[in-house]
Amino acid sequence: MMKIKYLIFCFASLSSYRLAAQTGQDISIGTRHSSLVYTVSGNQHIYQRYLGKKLSDTASYTVMKAVHNAYPGAGMGDLFSPAIRMIHADGNPSLDLQYVNHESVKKGEDVTETIIHLKDPVYPVEVALHYTAYYDEDVITSHVEIIHKEKKPVLLTNYASSFLHFDADHYWLTQFHGDWAKEMNMEETELTSGIHILDSKLGSRADMYQSPLFFLSLDHPSGENNGELIAGTLAWTGNFQFLFETDTHNSLRISSGMNPYASEYHLAPGQPFVTPEFIFTYSGEGKGLASRNLHRWARNYAVLDGNKPRLTLLNNWEATGMNFDQGRLTSLFDGAAKLGVDLFLLDDGWFANKYPRDDDKAGLGDWEENKKKLPNGVGYLVSESGKKGLQFGIWLEPEMVNPKSELYEKHPDWILKLTNRPEDYFRNQLVLDLTNPAVQDFVYNTVDGVLTRNPGLAYIKWDCNRMMTNTWSPWLKEDQSHIYIEYVRSFYKVLDRIRAKYPHLPMMLCSGGGGRTDYGGLRYFTEFWPSDNTDGLERIFIQWGYSYFFPANTIAAHVTGWGKQSLKFRTDVAMMDKLGYDIKVSDLTPEELQFSHDAIQTYKRLSDVIWYGDLYRLISPYEGNRAALQYVNESKTKAVLFHYLMNPRYKEAFGRVKLQGLDPLKKYRIKEVNLFPGARSANPDQDKVLSGELLMNIGLNCTAGRQAPMSSSIIELTAE
Ligand code: DGJ
């Protein structure tokens, strides 16, 4: 998974050495524009001195009093939420972590890891705080490693990945909440004294009601281009917790990590306990810069093949549901070929024989082709689609089981459920006990099996349609409180095996809509499914929300039959991220088909800018009746502007759209693209050549002659 250059540096880094800082000496973790500074106190504790904009004179940081313990243990003097809490083998519930030494390891041209080693003076417990600074991307990630040599297991009840302190006059928290088909609603509130928690307790996915990400703005709410803030998220596909505690001095501590809820962990001697990475970026110039930092970091380091092209595709889920057979599918290939997409994606419903998968009540777990629907197997579909110039992909949900399945009959001990209570279903299914190595083998073999039996299979959509309820693991026995942690670790173990054999196979991470939208999973996936809601208007908000934390090439956006907006509008919305289709191509009129075909060609032509360019959110849908965003390539020679008019009032007037990120000295040709066949651009600036300076200060008129509700335009800007 790691980049080659990163690996080379890992081996080269064996030469790292440990330093022992003197009392009062600073340990600095820095990126190009931000600094996180710790210091060793007289009592050998590590205190946070500074977090914020990098200053040219590092001596300036010493003005800040270092008073906040970097990683406070419970049971000692700190009266607020601890970073870590441990009950020792003898029942003592205290932990006092003192500085031992630290080391700095160069892991890549751009990447430096600083490890601060701490230990308890009374108990043989060691904790290493790991901070990885991505210099050019201005991102820092942190995780913690805990190990002990007590005679018996200790009980860990809190284990933050990151513990950050702030001293500002006010704190504004932006969070994203939702539900199925209603993901990523943005909300901003001022934190008051006491505790505010964002978390999830779903087990097999990170989110459904609350997304694992936030902005924390200092002093004032931040805008796109102004305000001081951090953007934070956790690389973990399971229960998370972000705890914000404002104390009596108005100091804020943010504890981020796996949710300790119902997750007390019995840690055996000598066994390292490694927490997931908390990822954050500091911005002194608003949310826009924070997003661009995260996007660049994600493409370079966090998402599988983040800087490589993506496939356009036609999915059959909205068109057929599970009601299809071989003939119907192969007839859809013609539509896909006419559209001009790269790949046909076969969704749910292709498998199971004893209990055929004709609806969501049966068959999940029985991963052989249904002989009635697919008498010639998946291999036939791979080769038939190939004849039409299409690659072929398939849907799997290998972690789950329907009670009406052969898998359930054969392996009742492979299922998470309370044995003395009725089974609790969600979408008529149960979760497999992935902590059991036999189940891990089963999941791995399901994926590997379908890929080996069908050479040429080019894509997988990996779904996960339920969370855990009424959970009990036959495998974990007396360690039931490990289930939430071990489930996710087991999920990653299986994915490690899959990626060892199939390092670059494109895979979409899906979870009944956007239940798995986190950087823990995205290490293994090329993209994620943000929501089952593909209504054009709803998607503006949903994709807008994800754009704060994820780059465009990871956000799958399909044109479907959802929504009453025109095909042009829905296509323009999908084109702002990773374009795909999920429609009955045969229902399109010849003009609509021509338009869609041309749209895919246009998208392919512009995709370098959309996927790898810098994103500027220009006009927020949260603030009025329209939305606009723009991508600019690195050399500022090409930009793409997406403009959506949503529900304007009668004669509502709209100003010009001021662009950002262009070269003021360059001249750009303005060209509205993605027009319906025969339609002409109503943009008065069409085909004009305008300076970057003008476009950024006076702007483009995107609404002249286009006041209709749900109208949209895509404008390509090319430097001459
Ligand atoms: C939920 C996903 O979000 C949908 O796109 C589809 O794949 C269904 N599952 C299939 O069961």
Side-chain angles (χ1 to χ4, degrees), residues 696-713:
M696 292 193 288
N697 290 287
I698 297 176
L700 267 183
N701 183 349
C702 294
T703 43
R706 282 283 170 87
Q707 292 283 24
M710 304 299 161
S711 57
S712 54
S713 52

Side-chain angles (χ1 to χ4, degrees), residues 16 37 168 176 340 393 476 529 535 543 555 582 608 669 703:
S16 92
V37 183
F176 297 81
L476 288 175
W529 185 234
D535 173 293
Q543 292 171 213
I555 305 172
D582 200 340
D608 272 7
R669 182 168 294 279
T703 43

Side-chain angles (χ1 to χ4, degrees), residues 315 317 322 347-348 357 395 427 461 463 465 510-513 529 532:
N315 192 356
W317 177 245
M322 300 188 207
D347 213 286
D348 197 353
R357 181 73 171 169
W395 177 95
R427 211 189 187 217
K461 174 176 178 184
D463 210 341
N465 277 296
C510 173
S511 180
W529 185 234
D532 280 344

Side-chain angles (χ1 to χ4, degrees), residues 429-440:
Q429 64 193 56
L430 293 161
V431 186
L432 292 177
D433 185 0
L434 203 53
T435 63
N436 181 340
V439 176
Q440 293 167 22

